[in-house]
Structures are given as structure tokens and as C-alpha cells.
Amino acid sequence: MIEKHIVLEDIDPVVFYGINNVHLQMVKSLFPKLRIVARGNVIRVLGDDDEMERFEDNIEAMRKHVERFNTINEEDILDIIKGRKTKAESVKGVIVYSISGRPIKSRSANQQALIDAYETCDMVFAEGPAGTGKTYLSIALAVKALKEKTAKKIILSRPAVEAGEKLGFLPGDMKDKIDPYLQPLYDALEDMIPASKLQEMMEKRIIQIAPLAFMRGRTLSDAVVILDEAQNTTAAQIRMFLTRMGWNTKMIITGDLTQIDLPRGQRSGLSEALELLTDIEGIGFVRMDKKDIVRHKLVTRIVNAYETADRAHGKEEAS
């Protein structure tokens, strides 16, 4: 008889054990020769060598399943113990899984083009209207790189450009003033990484979220770096950002040229970059349109209405 302690690293033990410990009870019933006690993320096991080895192998396979898919159920546990593929493992084209176990993958040809460009280029520009999944897919690709250990950190940035509100009039300290600009990035991360793990990663600076101004002077290596809302950068800002690129780094720059909040008469840095960098080898460009919108159906109708109004306004100015 031997005793071992197994630590469940990088996962939420609550997901692993199941509601009211239903998964743990199932595991106990499948290994009746072992005495199994769980406390937090540590499983204490007492039993003979052969059964213990089989138990350890299966628990590790279950842990990896939860780490990859953010979920596990009784059917998955049986499949793992019987040496079969789970249903989740059979799904193709998945980037990562949400914390609820929902597969995150491309939902349109241009979304797939963004994924393909990321795989073949170290720098990718994705431009298109709201709701096309530019930011969400980019963050999913970054989370995948972190999980697969092809990157050591994720760095997310946005320009803190005022769209009507003035920073100085918002309550709180500088972090409180800036956080609302960065909230969409937090939202996407919270959908893909369990809250406790995300907090730990941010405290260890494995995941960094900061306004664009905080990028100056840095060299960003071994990372996936995402610049969101790049249409609101000036020419000098986007030039500064792009030249932060270090070794073993991938950059994704997203933006929507129809939603520029810069002062009237000031050209968007994204617009200039798209013109200047078009023919540079190693940079990918993806143009999304209203067919790629994956939000509520009303978003497509709203985009159509504004496009029609913009065209009419352009004709009036031309005449």
C-alpha cells in the first residue's frame, strides 16, 4: 500500500470535481480499490501500486481535458478511462474553448482568413466594421498560443481616445479612468480563461492590458501583442507601436475605419499604415465586411443604414 498526493495545476478544481462533487464520486466508483480524498486542488490517494499508476494516468488525462476545454462531464470521464477520444476532441477547427466549454472557431470566410494570416505571418492587420469578431478571434489566438506555450505572454493595448467623454471628468485615479477603454479586452479574456486563473496571470504579468501610451520604450518579445481600435491611433502612435516588435512575437492590429474618434482633420494612423505597409513581405492583411458580423442581426442592419447615409453624404459633398 502506498499513498500519493496529486496536485491539480492550471485548472479550477470545482470544474474538475463537478457540482456537488459528482465527478469525484464517479471517479471513486471507477476505482473502488483506492481510497480517494480531495481537498482543494490536492487529491490524496491510498492503494496498491498497479491501481495507483492507472489512476494517476487517468487523472492527468482528465486534468488536461479540463485545461484545454474548460469543462468535463461524466461521458468525458468514461471516454478517458476507456481510452477513447471525447466528443470535444473530435471537433475540428477550434481555436480554444470558452469557460463554458463552447468551441471558439471561425464563423465566416474572412474570419478564417484572419486565422490563416496569423499562422503564416508575424504581423496581421484586420480591418472591418463592428461585430465581425476581429478582437475576439485575435484574443482567442493569443490564448491558444499561451496554452500551447508558443508564447510566454499576451499584451493587449488600445488607444485611450475620448469618444465624447473627457478623461479628466471621469471619477477615480488614472487606472479607473482608463479601464473603461480596456473593458472589451477584459470581457473577451473572461470568456476564455477562468476568473481565478486570469487574475493570477495578470498579477504575474503573463497577461498585460495597457493603454497604447504605456508601450513607448518597450521591446515586446516572446509574446502575442494585440492593438485594438487602431483606427484611433495617430501616425506617430502606430509607428511607435509597430516598432516595439521583438523576437518570437506576433502582432495583430485591428480597427474599423468607419469609427474614427480622432479630432477632425487628423488622419488615422491605421489608414496610413494600411497604405504604407501593403507590399511588405511577412505582413498579412484581412478586410472584413458586414457579411462577417456575428453579433445580433440588428447590428448588420445598423451598419447598412450608416453606410447608406455615408454614401449619400459623400454625393452631397461632391456636388
Side-chain angles (χ1 to χ4, degrees):
M1 296 286 282
I2 61 170
E3 179 177 326
K4 285 197 175 181
H5 290 192
I6 301 170
V7 180
L8 302 174
E9 295 180 338
D10 300 323
I11 63 168
D12 183 350
V14 176
V15 175
F16 187 90
Y17 298 143
I19 297 173
N20 296 323
N21 288 331
V22 64
H23 299 161
L24 182 62
Q25 296 304 323
M26 182 179 182
V27 170
K28 287 182 178 181
S29 69
L30 292 168
F31 291 90
K33 295 179 182 179
L34 298 178
R35 183 168 177 238
I36 303 166
V37 179
R39 292 284 185 274
N41 69 332
V42 178
I43 300 175
R44 178 173 165 265
V45 193
L46 186 67
D48 66 80
D49 284 359
D50 292 339
E51 190 76 349
M52 183 74 73
E53 184 177 353
R54 191 169 74 90
F55 177 80
E56 283 185 287
D57 290 343
N58 282 288
I59 288 296
E60 177 59 14
M62 288 170 58
R63 187 200 67 78
K64 286 181 176 178
H65 189 281
V66 174
E67 183 182 23
R68 180 180 176 188
F69 302 112
N70 288 317
T71 187
I72 195 167
N73 57 40
E74 289 86 347
E75 187 178 353
D76 296 330
I77 293 170
L78 279 176
D79 284 339
I80 289 168
I81 289 176
K82 290 181 179 181
R84 301 188 300 236
K85 276 190 174 182
T86 64
K87 282 185 178 180
E89 289 175 310
S90 302
V91 179
K92 296 181 179 180
V94 179
I95 304 171
V96 290
Y97 287 78
S98 73
I99 58 172
S100 63
R102 175 177 55 84
I104 298 170
K105 55 184 181 177
S106 65
R107 295 172 63 182
S108 72
N110 286 328
Q111 286 191 357
Q112 186 60 47
L114 171 56
I115 296 168
D116 294 342
Y118 173 86
E119 295 295 335
T120 57
C121 301
D122 287 339
M123 183 178 291
V124 179
F125 285 83
E127 193 274 322
T132 50
K134 305 181 300 294
T135 303
Y136 194 78
L137 270 183
S138 298
I139 291 177
L141 289 167
V143 170
K144 178 185 179 184
L146 206 59
K147 283 177 175 284
E148 294 180 350
K149 295 180 170 54
T150 57
K152 294 181 180 178
K153 54 183 177 283
I154 299 173
I155 301 171
L156 309 175
S157 188
R158 269 187 161 201
V161 174
E162 298 151 353
E165 304 87 358
K166 296 294 184 182
L167 278 175
F169 290 99
L170 295 174
D173 58 19
M174 183 54 69
K175 183 180 184 301
D176 295 328
K177 293 174 189 289
I178 288 172
D179 268 358
Y181 291 97
L182 307 176
Q183 191 58 49
L185 306 180
Y186 289 113
D187 290 344
L189 285 169
E190 287 168 354
D191 196 32
M192 301 176 203
I193 301 174
S196 58
K197 186 65 179 175
L198 177 58
Q199 182 65 32
E200 179 187 340
M201 286 178 163
M202 294 184 72
E203 287 173 357
K204 292 181 177 179
R205 296 186 61 75
I206 296 170
I207 295 177
Q208 304 172 27
I209 306 178
L212 180 59
F214 289 28
M215 297 294 108
R216 187 173 296 280
R218 299 183 64 182
T219 299
L220 309 175
S221 300
D222 299 309
V224 178
V225 187
I226 298 170
L227 175 60
D228 193 35
E229 299 288 349
Q231 77 276 3
N232 288 328
T233 61
T234 64
Q237 284 175 330
I238 200 165
R239 181 177 180 178
M240 175 274 292
F241 175 83
L242 298 178
T243 55
R244 301 305 93 203
M245 192 174 193
W247 294 107
N248 191 36
T249 287
K250 283 183 176 278
M251 278 189 168
I252 307 176
I253 300 92
T254 70
D256 176 6
L257 291 174
T258 68
Q259 295 192 32
I260 298 173
D261 298 316
L262 293 168
R264 185 178 294 275
Q266 186 168 20
R267 191 184 185 195
S268 165
L270 175 61
S271 177
E272 182 177 271
L274 291 174
E275 288 181 12
L276 293 175
L277 307 179
T278 302
D279 298 323
I280 294 182
E281 185 179 352
I283 301 180
F285 297 88
V286 179
R287 175 70 177 93
M288 294 183 168
D289 56 40
K290 56 193 175 186
K291 295 192 297 294
D292 301 300
I293 292 175
V294 291
R295 291 180 185 167
H296 194 285
K297 60 186 178 182
L298 283 177
V299 175
T300 303
R301 296 172 189 171
I302 291 167
V303 170
N304 286 336
Y306 275 96
E307 284 183 352
T308 301
D310 288 343
R311 284 194 296 269
H313 183 64
K315 288 180 181 178
E316 289 175 6
E317 287 187 344
S319 60

